Amino acid sequence: MSTTAAAKETAASGAERELTDGFHLVIDALKLNGLDTIYGVPGIPITDLGRMAQAAGIRVISFRHEQNAGYAAAIAGYLNKKPGICLTVSAPGFLNGLTALANATTNCFPMILISGSSEREIVDLQQGDYEEMDQLAIAKPLCKAAYRVLHAEDIGIGIARAIRAAVSGRPGGVYLDLPAKLLGQAIDAEKGARSLVKVIDAAPAQIPAPAAVARALEVIRSAKRPLVILGKGAAYAQADDAIRSLVERSGIPYLPMSMAKGLLPDDHPLSAGAARSLVLQEADVVVMIGARLNWLLSHGKGKQWGAPGSKRFVQIDIEPREMDSNVEIAAPVVGDIGSCVSALLTAMGSGWQAAPAEWVKEVRSKAEDNIARMAPRLMNNNAPMDYHGALGALRTIVKDRPDAFLVNEGANTLDFARSIIDMYRPRKRLDVGTWGVMGIGMGFSIAAAVETGKPVLAVVGDSAFGFSGMEVETICRYKLPVCVVVFNNNGIYRGSDVNPGGGSDAATTVFVKGARYDRMMEAFGGRGVNATTPDELARAVNAALDSGTPTLVNAVIDENAGTESGRIGNLNPQSVVKKK
Ligand code: ADP
Ligand code: TZD
Ligand code: MG
């Protein structure tokens, strides 16, 4: 029987029967399935849903904008392997959350966007209801699955379907549409309780076919210069020990994609992170584990990948359609990463021939050279700071605090931080992901702190920060141990551009010079620090992470230090018309 039965009603027989309603059934269904946190923004028709959820012991984190709540839910899903819940109001609130839902789907993060909506009868006749919109139709192409519930007795099934769709197979975003009228619908409490569904084994193991495993092993064994690429799917799978065993027992150098950094520590002797160009050029067999051959890997072809036809690919992924998406996959292994990697380990047995020593040595020595070459630049104490000086200071802090999360967005701020800051534990680095989207910063930071209680260091460009900056109030309100470092170079890529038209308007990529983002945090009772040297920066960040006080450090970066689009300037189209 529901613990939150809403009311009593006197039936025709004169006997009292207990009632429940849509509000309570949604809450009971979430709780029954262990979904104990909601990220959202209140308003018609879901204000009471948030209140009642809070009363029922669900943690409800209210944001200042739905997009940030959606990003929070998505990364909570990534960290927990269960769908993160975002709750929005109809039409505009729903649309604000939709970017995050689409981004979750693109990144294979499980989340459910639950949105209130207006009445079907009015929406379908387009009679102009309050915040009228056919939300289900709009959500559908942007997520993995979309459902609407019209009857209170279907809420249990609706939420069960949403959970399964989000986490089974390739994870992704799911939309659940709850019209206002549904929430107030009353039904018999016992009938309501019976209608709830506890989802058993929401993401069933998917065991790879033995023949596929044998084929993969064949290909790996034939390699002279093997390489493993670990992606965020591998981090998501939480098969950390098995993956580490596979790398160490086979002795194959590995390259982590950005969110897979720390799955094995970045200072591991087999890490090829600092020898990226070499291994992509030279490897003859590439074992992809939970990583896609998308733009981030130049689609598995082109100059970066050495001579055409020089590679054979093994790919481990839960999504069969990912195979051959960009290049031929010689050995597809379809299944969940835990099962696939375990099957490979078993098939390898004890008679495993380690990767050729000469190759491993070549990779190691290249990595060491590159690391040594970078080292002196990371120690500079210039003011204003350059990226290397500032990130050199943060690199040491992250090394000393492997348990802290690192949230990272921006262009130069992202690209330099990714290569300079080593990670030591799985799933600690959270960033812009597959789309390179700006705006994840505060949502990801809030969710990481809420879900784990661990300290969070957010290293964000001044532009990137602007997309979600108002959530510093949320960080202060919930007293979260988040330290935001804004890399303030007065703009996007560089703050030094001038208006090419010569007018008095600022250039398109520059912001107010010398802005003091630290004062935004002070406005809400947090700590603000203006840091002009790496030493000052390190002191401020250490103090913040020690105390857990919400802090924003305005890190003053040389406005000339960055480059256009960071490391991906080559993706900008070139005009054929000569510059005047
Ligand atoms: P990255 O950007 O780090 O390269 P991607 O997001 O491109 O990572 O790729 C992640 C891949 O991992 C996706 O193709 C997805 O289908 C896959 N994946 C996610 N979870 C699992 C899992 N549990 N088992 C197997 N594959 C998974
Ligand atoms: N809008 C969204 C949602 N995502 C984007 N990626 C962009 C716009 C375009 N964009 C980038 O790709 S990086 C970036 C934008 C606006 C900001 C870079 O400036 P920054 O970092 O201050 O964050 P640096 O250190 O100045 O390069
Ligand atoms: Mg900037």
Side-chain angles (χ1 to χ4, degrees):
M1 163 102 104
S2 163
T3 51
T4 53
K8 288 184 184 348
E9 182 188 72
T10 307
S13 63
E16 268 197 347
R17 65 182 184 120
E18 276 200 78
L19 290 180
T20 188
D21 59 21
F23 286 111
H24 289 88
L25 287 167
V26 171
I27 291 160
D28 290 343
L30 292 176
K31 286 183 73 172
L32 181 66
N33 286 288
L35 301 176
D36 49 15
T37 307
I38 293 175
Y39 300 93
V41 175
I44 296 171
I46 49 92
T47 313
D48 273 347
L49 186 58
R51 287 196 184 109
M52 291 177 192
Q54 199 170 40
I58 289 182
R59 189 131 197 237
V60 184
I61 307 292
S62 276
F63 281 69
R64 305 299 294 263
H65 189 292
E66 291 87 353
Q67 190 175 104
N68 306 316
Y71 288 142
I75 211 67
Y78 170 75
L79 292 173
N80 296 332
K81 282 187 99 172
K82 62 182 190 186
I85 305 294
C86 178
L87 181 62
T88 62
V89 303
S90 9
F94 156 78
L95 286 173
N96 283 347
L98 205 51
T99 307
L101 185 70
N103 185 62
T105 307
T106 296
N107 282 281
C108 316
F109 298 154
M111 80 171 270
I112 303 173
L113 173 64
I114 300 180
S115 186
S117 59
S118 21
E119 298 320 329
R120 290 309 320 152
E121 297 83 344
I122 305 179
V123 173
D124 289 346
L125 274 171
Q126 299 173 32
Q127 293 173 312
D129 203 1
Y130 169 70
E131 296 189 346
E132 174 182 299
M133 175 173 277
D134 189 358
Q135 296 171 197
L136 188 72
I138 289 164
K140 245 179 210 168
L142 299 172
C143 59
K144 215 180 144 187
Y147 305 107
R148 174 159 50 225
V149 181
L150 290 177
H151 303 292
E153 59 264 36
D154 292 332
I155 286 172
I157 288 290
I159 288 183
R161 299 211 74 191
I163 292 170
R164 271 194 197 282
V167 294
S168 61
R170 170 182 278 176
V174 174
Y175 177 59
L176 187 64
D177 192 89
L178 304 181
K181 215 191 280 176
L182 169 84
L183 295 169
Q185 255 179 43
I187 63 170
D188 178 79
E190 247 176 75
K191 185 177 169 197
R194 274 199 310 277
S195 73
L196 299 183
V197 175
K198 187 170 162 65
V199 177
I200 307 299
D201 196 13
Q206 297 196 22
I207 314 291
V213 174
R215 189 188 299 116
L217 218 50
E218 255 320 288
V219 174
I220 298 172
R221 282 199 170 121
S222 73
K224 295 204 172 53
R225 295 179 303 281
L227 171 69
V228 165
I229 296 184
L230 299 172
K232 61 172 123 58
Y236 172 79
Q238 298 192 16
D240 308 338
D241 292 344
I243 289 170
R244 191 174 181 136
S245 297
L246 182 77
V247 168
E248 290 182 343
R249 274 172 61 188
S250 67
I252 302 179
Y254 69 92
L255 192 63
M257 300 301 289
S258 72
M259 280 178 61
K261 276 164 70 76
L263 190 43
L264 279 83
D266 278 333
D267 59 356
H268 193 284
L270 288 168
S271 170
R276 184 187 165 94
S277 311
L278 172 84
V279 291
L280 291 183
Q281 282 282 330
E282 299 293 328
D284 61 349
V285 167
V286 181
V287 184
M288 309 284 301
I289 307 182
R292 284 173 287 188
L293 286 165
N294 55 17
W295 71 277
L296 286 157
L297 285 167
S298 345
H299 306 280
K301 51 201 171 190
K303 268 201 289 212
Q304 207 186 114
W305 285 90
S310 63
K311 312 258 182 290
R312 287 201 295 163
F313 288 93
V314 174
Q315 184 160 25
I316 300 178
D317 205 292
I318 203 158
E319 173 57 64
R321 287 179 300 177
E322 188 55 39
M323 307 300 161
D324 307 324
S325 60
N326 286 270
V327 295
E328 179 185 284
I329 302 300
V333 184
V334 174
D336 73 275
I337 284 165
S339 302
C340 292
V341 172
S342 301
L344 272 173
L345 281 168
T346 308
M348 267 165 54
S350 47
W352 175 258
Q353 194 71 47
E358 213 172 302
W359 165 243
V360 177
K361 221 174 97 192
E362 185 188 350
V363 174
R364 182 86 218 118
S365 98
K366 182 74 188 175
E368 281 169 0
D369 282 358
N370 284 343
I371 291 167
R373 195 133 36 89
M374 171 102 86
R377 299 180 67 186
L378 301 178
M379 320 249 295
N380 85 64
N381 204 32
N382 296 344
M385 295 182 271
D386 60 23
Y387 287 93
H388 287 86
L391 289 165
L394 297 179
R395 168 190 161 91
T396 309
I397 292 173
V398 171
K399 181 167 192 172
D400 292 344
R401 303 167 187 272
D403 233 18
F405 283 89
L406 177 67
V407 172
N408 191 196
E409 61 177 339
N412 293 280
T413 305
L414 177 89
D415 290 338
F416 283 114
R418 185 179 52 233
S419 61
I420 291 172
I421 300 183
D422 284 342
M423 303 303 297
Y424 302 88
R425 304 257 167 91
R427 295 171 292 283
K428 291 296 185 184
R429 186 186 153 85
L430 310 174
D431 69 25
V432 299
T434 304
W435 268 348
V437 66
M438 298 299 111
I440 49 86
M442 298 307 104
F444 279 15
S445 297
I446 290 166
V450 164
E451 298 290 333
T452 70
K454 298 276 193 287
V456 179
L457 172 61
V459 177
V460 298
D462 51 341
S463 166
F465 174 69
F467 287 77
S468 67
M470 192 64 208
E471 303 297 346
V472 295
E473 188 275 331
T474 311
I475 292 170
C476 290
R477 186 165 15 110
Y478 292 97
K479 302 181 178 60
L480 298 173
V482 175
C483 175
V484 182
V485 177
V486 175
F487 271 44
N488 187 357
N489 62 346
N490 299 339
I492 298 174
Y493 314 140
R494 304 161 70 90
S496 51
D497 272 12
V498 287
N499 178 343
S504 61
D505 280 357
T508 57
T509 52
V510 310
F511 298 150
V512 167
K513 304 236 182 225
R516 291 288 301 273
Y517 293 96
D518 48 314
R519 291 184 180 153
M520 287 176 67
M521 197 59 129
E522 288 173 349
F524 303 108
R527 185 153 181 266
V529 180
N530 188 50
T532 55
T533 66
D535 287 347
E536 282 173 19
L537 173 61
R539 258 197 308 279
V541 172
N542 274 318
L545 296 177
D546 281 340
S547 65
T549 309
T551 301
L552 193 152
V553 184
N554 182 59
V556 181
I557 303 286
D558 178 358
E559 66 176 17
N560 296 298
T563 57
E564 177 96 355
S565 302
R567 295 232 173 121
I568 53 172
N570 60 309
L571 298 180
N572 285 306
Q574 298 293 317
S575 167
V576 295
V577 179
K578 276 213 191 102
K579 276 187 194 153
K580 285 202 195 95

